Amino acid sequence: MPKKEGIRRLFDDIAPRYDLFNHLSSFGADRGWRRKAVKAIVDVSTPLDVLDVATGTGDFAIAIERKAAQGSHIVGIDLSEGMLEVGRKKCEGTGIVLTQGDSEALPFDDGTFDRVSVAFGVRNFEHLDKGLEEMARVLRPGGKLIILELSYPKNKLLRMGFKAYAFHILPTLGKMLTGNSDAFHYLPASIMRFPLPEAFVPQVKAAGFREVTARSLTFGTCRMYVGVK
């Protein structure tokens, strides 16, 4: 099965309990990570056109809309219709538009958005370079890409503790909440496979971004990347 189809099925299956798992497994730290990223996105007082890629259940899109200037337009796109079903219920009464689509073939014209964001989804791209290039394509010149992604500490002792938690406790918690243990074996493995900043920053630059920065959050268990087109 292609990775993309496997990812879609995985997230369709765990969608109803995904938010609860996120908050519990990170001890609520995911909310603080999003707040920091939102500040980087909404750094002007004028309306913005924002695309949230791999939007999932819409948590990040909602956080952005709450802080964006009046007149801003927020669009979320995700491969998983199951995640979007949950997200659309949460977005009722907002101006957020959630649509199903492929992050590696975004259904938008060149230069459509002022900001593109991705929270905890870029490591699931089947072709990472293609996804980064697509996000650059739909950004306007001077627009910004903001990525939040789970990671692991560089410190050996902290990394050992992180791996014990991620590979033993998280799958048990995930199975208790969703009944799906396979998903929660995949997720920590995908974190460990994803490149650290020394490799990922050059990759972002090669996709068409400049002034790319990386910021470590919570001992390196999450990293925030910002780039300008």
Side-chain angles (χ1 to χ4, degrees):
M1 181 189 300
K3 178 179 178 181
K4 198 171 295 184
E5 177 62 17
I7 292 294
R8 184 188 65 77
R9 291 186 182 183
L10 182 155
F11 283 100
D12 279 351
D13 186 59
I14 65 175
R17 307 286 279 179
Y18 178 78
D19 287 341
L20 179 60
F21 173 80
N22 260 359
H23 301 326
L24 289 177
S25 63
S26 71
F27 303 99
D30 61 305
R31 294 185 175 96
W33 298 336
R34 287 189 184 90
R35 283 195 294 270
K36 288 179 172 66
V38 168
K39 286 182 180 179
I41 295 166
V42 186
D43 58 349
V44 294
S45 58
T46 51
L48 293 167
D49 294 314
V50 182
L51 173 65
D52 187 38
V53 175
T55 195
T57 64
D59 268 4
F60 202 24
I62 292 168
I64 294 166
E65 195 211 33
R66 286 174 177 163
K67 295 296 183 180
Q70 187 173 2
S72 295
H73 298 99
I74 317 298
V75 177
I77 189 167
D78 199 275
L79 194 63
S80 167
E81 186 60 40
M83 297 286 276
L84 291 170
E85 282 182 22
V86 176
R88 289 188 185 108
K89 292 175 184 176
K90 289 161 59 177
C91 290
E92 287 177 0
T94 74
I96 298 169
V97 176
L98 299 184
T99 186
Q100 196 275 338
D102 186 347
S103 58
E104 296 168 20
L106 294 170
F108 306 105
D109 292 336
D110 296 0
T112 300
F113 299 97
D114 302 299
R115 304 283 186 270
V116 174
S117 62
V118 196
F120 318 122
V122 75
R123 76 182 188 281
N124 296 319
F125 289 5
E126 186 166 13
H127 304 103
L128 182 54
D129 290 340
K130 179 60 177 173
L132 291 169
E133 289 166 4
E134 274 292 276
M135 291 188 285
R137 180 184 65 79
V138 301
L139 269 172
R140 294 172 180 139
K144 288 170 62 176
L145 170 69
I146 295 88
I147 296 172
L148 273 181
E149 191 50 87
L150 297 174
S151 189
Y152 56 90
K154 293 183 179 180
N155 178 278
K156 278 188 177 182
L157 287 176
L158 290 176
R159 187 164 65 247
M160 286 174 60
F162 172 81
K163 289 175 73 173
Y165 176 68
F167 284 96
H168 298 287
I169 297 173
L170 287 190
T172 301
L173 176 62
K175 185 176 182 179
M176 287 171 56
L177 292 176
T178 70
N180 185 329
S181 60
D182 290 343
F184 300 98
H185 285 289
Y186 160 78
L187 292 172
S190 69
I191 295 170
M192 298 304 296
R193 285 195 301 267
F194 194 76
L196 288 172
E198 345 18 329
F200 188 54
V201 167
Q203 204 167 1
V204 177
K205 289 180 178 178
F209 294 94
R210 55 187 172 86
E211 300 175 27
V212 180
T213 60
R215 179 180 176 186
S216 175
L217 305 173
T218 316
F219 306 108
T221 56
C222 179
R223 301 186 193 277
M224 181 168 73
Y225 300 91
V226 179
V228 179
K229 180 177 177 181

